[in-house]
Amino acid sequence: MKNIFEELKLSNETAVLICSPYNMKYFSGFSGGEGYVIITKENKYLLVDSRYTGIAKEEAYKDFLIFEFGLNYPLADMLKNILLENQIKNLVFEDDFISVKVFNMFINIADNIEFCPMSYDINKIRMIKSDEELELIAKAEQIGVDAFKHILSYIKPGVSEKDIAAELEYFMKKNGAEKTSFDTIVLSGERTALPHGVPGDRIIKNGDFLLMDYGCVYNGYCSDMTRTIMIGKADKKQKEIYNTVLNAQMTGLNVLKAGIGGFSADKAARDVIDEAGYGDYFGHSLGHGVGLQIHELPNLSPKSDIILEENMIVSCEPGIYIYGYGGVRIEDLVCVKNDGIRNLTNLSKELIEI
Ligand SMILES: [Mn+2]
């Protein structure tokens, strides 16, 4: 377990306030999702209400003091006392997560305390995964891979996008997943051009692209994968688009390794799509980190300034989306290694026609 104080090089008068479920789980072990973690140089606190006290006691790391707030001991008083007892002058907080309401509560109780927004630095600590984390992510991804193999025998003309999404989710839950890692995306026909569309009642039919982007959570860790297949035979244009995306994806995978910048991986894949004449139809970035959170650092994007390191987990997912016609995305989840990658999505990417 990484020490947040050492990682962020904080002073003795600083406290870190964490309330996002991902960082709470990472730094305290508590998976309940609702609560407040406060870490000072000397002390670690987990504050929860009575709904979560039992879970907190079972899950929190042994060096955490667990306090229950409620009617008898209001949260604001508890926070104020902790800050006073530890003589805190700076409060590091998650600016990309904390609500205005909670932020205002702190402003009201904490006179003479400086607030330091540090989400980016805090989240960076989670980028390099431990062996145990890698195992959980690989397991989560394998559940998704198994779900894909299962769904191929379920898909036939007559079923709807919603039917396929429900079957994928049911399979993953029956096979050990706690929940989906994000809302399952199943799109067909011209709707495949909506990169993050929602499954609807559309019935799949011959000549459709069918795009499935989904993942699950296993012991708190997320998986993510996308496959696009054909219902019936692909025509010339469909083959060309599919092969362009596949080429871009393979190019991205081939350059990924420790020492490469997130921006260079993105560029390598993007160039393939540009050169094929589809540059205007690839609007999102190549990939993102995956861990306790479905979208986390590092990003593989034109704006990313992060140099990849061994045991980071990233997705590689280029796409081409032509509004009114359709689209293709292919996504694998990989572990960055010094000499390349370990691909966690153990599946062929040849165009499947069913
Ligand atoms: Mn993804």
Side-chain angles (χ1 to χ4, degrees):
M1 175 48 49
K2 290 172 191 157
N3 182 312
I4 195 167
F5 253 74
E6 284 167 18
E7 295 284 334
L8 300 180
K9 299 187 176 63
L10 301 175
S11 80
N12 292 352
E13 294 168 326
T14 301
V16 184
L17 165 69
I18 283 171
C19 39
S20 73
Y22 329 104
N23 284 326
M24 233 178 331
K25 160 101 176 161
Y26 190 81
F27 291 106
S28 78
F30 171 63
S31 73
E34 277 189 59
Y36 301 83
V37 163
I38 296 181
I39 301 174
T40 69
K41 181 84 181 169
E42 300 297 334
N43 297 306
K44 294 177 175 179
Y45 305 89
L46 172 58
L47 317 182
V48 291
D49 67 53
S50 65
R51 293 171 301 165
Y52 295 104
T53 310
I55 303 170
K57 283 181 179 160
E58 284 170 19
E59 293 184 340
Y61 299 135
K62 292 287 163 260
D63 52 350
F64 271 80
L65 299 164
I66 298 162
F67 291 154
E68 183 182 296
F69 61 86
L71 294 175
N72 295 332
Y73 195 174
L75 174 63
D77 295 345
M78 189 178 277
L79 291 166
K80 187 169 189 167
N81 289 338
I82 290 172
L83 297 177
L84 282 174
E85 274 167 29
N86 290 276
Q87 298 173 320
I88 295 307
K89 300 227 166 78
N90 307 296
L91 188 69
V92 164
F93 70 98
E94 297 169 283
D95 49 303
D96 73 355
F97 186 84
I98 200 166
S99 69
V100 175
K101 188 174 160 189
V102 171
F103 188 73
N104 283 338
M105 174 175 68
F106 272 92
I107 286 184
N108 283 329
I109 62 173
D111 301 330
N112 305 319
I113 286 186
E114 196 185 329
F115 292 83
C116 317
M118 285 186 79
S119 270
Y120 186 72
D121 304 86
I122 296 169
N123 292 335
K124 264 179 132 177
I125 298 173
R126 304 203 321 260
M127 286 196 302
I128 297 174
K129 271 61 180 178
S130 68
D131 290 348
E132 193 188 353
E133 291 180 295
L134 293 175
E135 231 171 78
L136 296 174
I137 296 166
K139 170 71 180 167
E141 187 70 358
Q142 188 58 42
I143 294 172
V145 166
D146 293 342
F148 183 77
K149 290 175 183 163
H150 166 75
I151 207 70
L152 290 180
S153 61
Y154 176 87
I155 294 167
K156 51 190 164 306
V159 300
S160 71
E161 296 168 359
K162 276 182 185 168
D163 290 333
I164 296 168
E167 185 67 19
L168 278 172
E169 293 180 8
Y170 181 73
F171 181 93
M172 290 193 290
K173 285 187 182 170
K174 286 292 272 186
N175 285 276
E178 291 144 36
K179 55 182 180 179
T180 59
S181 49
F182 57 94
D183 289 344
T184 302
I185 299 171
V186 175
L187 301 166
S188 61
E190 68 285 348
R191 286 171 41 79
T192 50
L194 310 169
H196 272 193
V198 176
D201 293 318
R202 190 181 181 284
I203 305 291
I204 62 167
K205 61 177 199 294
N206 245 8
D208 278 352
F209 271 136
L210 178 69
L211 185 156
M212 293 168 281
D213 182 354
Y214 61 94
C216 68
V217 177
Y218 181 77
N219 273 14
Y221 283 83
C222 297
S223 66
D224 194 1
M225 59 177 282
T226 307
R227 286 294 183 271
T228 307
I229 65 171
M230 271 304 300
I231 308 302
K233 290 278 170 210
D235 64 23
K236 196 164 160 267
K237 185 169 179 182
Q238 286 168 325
K239 275 185 190 156
E240 182 187 294
I241 292 172
Y242 188 87
N243 288 329
T244 303
V245 174
L246 182 55
N247 268 338
Q249 207 251 0
M250 297 301 285
T251 304
L253 292 177
N254 282 333
V255 301
L256 280 173
K257 64 174 184 175
I260 290 288
F263 53 91
S264 337
D266 179 277
K267 183 166 189 325
R270 196 170 299 279
D271 283 350
V272 173
I273 292 178
D274 277 345
E275 279 156 26
Y278 290 101
D280 291 342
Y281 304 101
F282 176 27
H284 58 74
S285 54
L286 179 66
H288 54 88
V290 172
L292 287 166
Q293 209 171 353
I294 183 62
H295 291 134
E296 58 180 49
L297 295 171
N299 293 317
L300 308 181
S301 84
K303 287 182 188 163
S304 172
D305 59 357
I306 292 174
I307 304 298
L308 299 179
E309 290 180 62
E310 184 151 81
N311 294 339
M312 289 181 175
I313 295 279
V314 291
S315 70
C316 179
E317 50 177 311
I320 292 175
Y321 314 95
I322 303 171
Y323 188 73
Y325 170 80
V328 170
R329 177 164 64 254
I330 302 170
E331 172 181 29
D332 287 342
L333 195 62
V334 305
C335 178
V336 176
K337 292 290 172 190
N338 285 329
D339 57 356
I341 54 164
R342 180 178 148 225
N343 197 327
L344 304 180
T345 317
N346 297 309
L347 271 178
S348 152
K349 283 172 285 201
E350 295 222 349
L351 180 57
I352 294 170
E353 299 171 309
I354 51 179

